[in-house]
Amino acid sequence: MNGTSHPRDSEEGLLGRKDSRFSWANIRRHFDEDVTEAWGDALLIVTCFVTGLLDGAVFNVWSCFVSMMTGNTVYVGLGVTGQPASQPYRWAKSGTAILSFMLGTYLFSRCMRYLGPLRRLTVILALLLQALLCFASALLCLFSVVPADAGTLLPNNFIVLLPLCLLSIQSSGQIVLSRFLGYGEITTVVLTSAYCDLVFDEKVFTAPMTANVKRNRRVCAAVMLVLGAMLGGFVTKNGDITNALWISGAMKVGMAGVYVLWKGKGGVRLE
């Protein structure tokens, strides 16, 4: 009455502000805590699909890899002798991808260590940055900054090196994350060692499913990469790589969203 607030109203207002402060503090703790490595292999296997999708699409359109650096290294070696004769400047694309991958690995590993490699916010930001690099490459293609035939324009036009650089840096973020999560058998970017370790395993055919988890991970990683490559080939039949880039970026955003709700080591939960 008479413009004077009721004590109960004041109490509710204070409680409301107190709840708000507690809520923000809870959210901050949630994003500051480390995520558990458990089931991280499932997310890494999904990134193998992204690797297959990107490398399948990029190789099909631009004759280069952005994840599998062994193939790129071979192309650099061939380039010294001017081979292959049909694309004597393929070494420039492959060399750019290798250097970009190494730069990305250096930056991702150092930045994630500095911020806390398993900190929830760090993992989310790493995945969102990878998505952003995919989206940036897609926009370059969508607005014809990078034409569809950019891979064949060397040495007259080097614009294709820009998306190759961005996508190779993106790929490096995947393997860095796999290292921090502790799943060495899922590199997310290559399969040579996985194939070797799979058949090198004495129990590859004898151990039950639940008793040989590493074998299961290697098989799933290979299958997902092949499936991704199949999709990459399908969506680039017309020579347009844009859809593959949008899909890859969207998948990385989805994985970042999953880590928002991922179980943390500190037991803090959003309510």
Side-chain angles (χ1 to χ4, degrees):
M1 302 297 289
N2 299 325
T4 303
S5 60
H6 193 278
R8 181 179 178 85
D9 295 334
S10 299
E11 182 180 359
E12 290 177 351
L14 289 172
L15 287 173
R17 288 194 293 273
K18 183 177 180 180
D19 288 343
S20 176
R21 288 196 298 270
F22 176 78
S23 177
W24 280 111
N26 188 37
I27 292 173
R28 181 174 180 178
R29 287 196 301 272
H30 179 75
F31 284 97
D32 279 344
E33 71 174 341
D34 284 356
V35 294
T36 179
E37 297 94 331
W39 291 97
D41 53 342
L43 269 295
L44 292 177
I45 288 172
V46 174
T47 64
C48 291
F49 181 88
V50 177
T51 292
L53 172 59
L54 283 177
D55 265 352
V58 172
F59 186 82
N60 199 32
V61 177
W62 293 331
S63 301
C64 183
F65 297 111
V66 291
S67 299
M68 302 178 194
M69 295 302 144
T70 302
N72 282 333
T73 302
V74 172
Y75 284 133
V76 170
L78 286 172
V80 175
T81 60
Q83 300 296 318
S86 59
Q87 295 187 45
Y89 286 91
R90 181 180 284 183
W91 65 267
K93 293 181 287 186
S94 295
T96 297
I98 293 171
L99 293 176
S100 300
F101 184 87
M102 294 176 66
L103 174 63
T105 301
Y106 181 88
L107 294 176
F108 269 107
S109 62
R110 268 60 176 184
C111 290
M112 291 184 72
R113 283 194 184 102
Y114 178 78
L115 297 174
L118 292 179
R119 184 184 175 201
R120 187 186 307 278
L121 184 61
T122 302
V123 175
I124 292 172
L125 289 178
L127 288 167
L128 289 179
L129 178 56
Q130 294 168 43
L132 181 62
L133 293 172
C134 290
F135 291 148
S137 301
L139 289 173
L140 289 173
C141 297
L142 180 64
F143 292 106
S144 298
V145 176
V146 179
D149 61 346
T152 63
L153 299 180
L154 295 172
N156 298 318
N157 189 330
F158 288 87
I159 191 62
V160 72
L161 301 184
L162 178 55
L164 290 177
C165 174
L166 298 179
L167 294 173
S168 296
I169 292 175
Q170 178 277 149
S171 294
S172 71
Q174 293 185 173
I175 190 170
V176 169
L177 182 58
S178 74
R179 292 292 189 262
F180 284 133
L181 287 174
Y183 294 98
E185 64 273 19
I186 311 176
T187 65
T188 77
V189 294
V190 293
L191 288 178
T192 305
S193 61
Y195 287 145
C196 173
D197 294 336
L198 177 64
V199 295
F200 184 81
D201 186 353
E202 293 180 348
K203 299 181 180 179
V204 62
F205 296 116
T206 60
M209 290 292 292
T210 56
N212 198 336
V213 178
K214 288 188 176 182
R215 173 200 57 193
N216 301 341
R217 291 170 183 155
R218 293 180 181 116
V219 171
C220 289
V223 171
M224 291 295 280
L225 200 146
V226 170
L227 291 176
M230 290 170 59
L231 179 60
F234 178 77
V235 299
T236 55
K237 282 185 175 181
N238 61 353
D240 184 5
I241 198 173
T242 309
N243 289 333
L245 300 178
W246 288 125
I247 295 171
S248 299
M251 292 185 69
K252 290 298 179 72
V253 171
M255 283 183 269
V258 169
Y259 266 106
V260 172
L261 303 176
W262 201 262
K263 183 180 180 181
K265 295 181 178 180
V268 180
R269 292 290 183 275
L270 285 172
E271 299 178 355

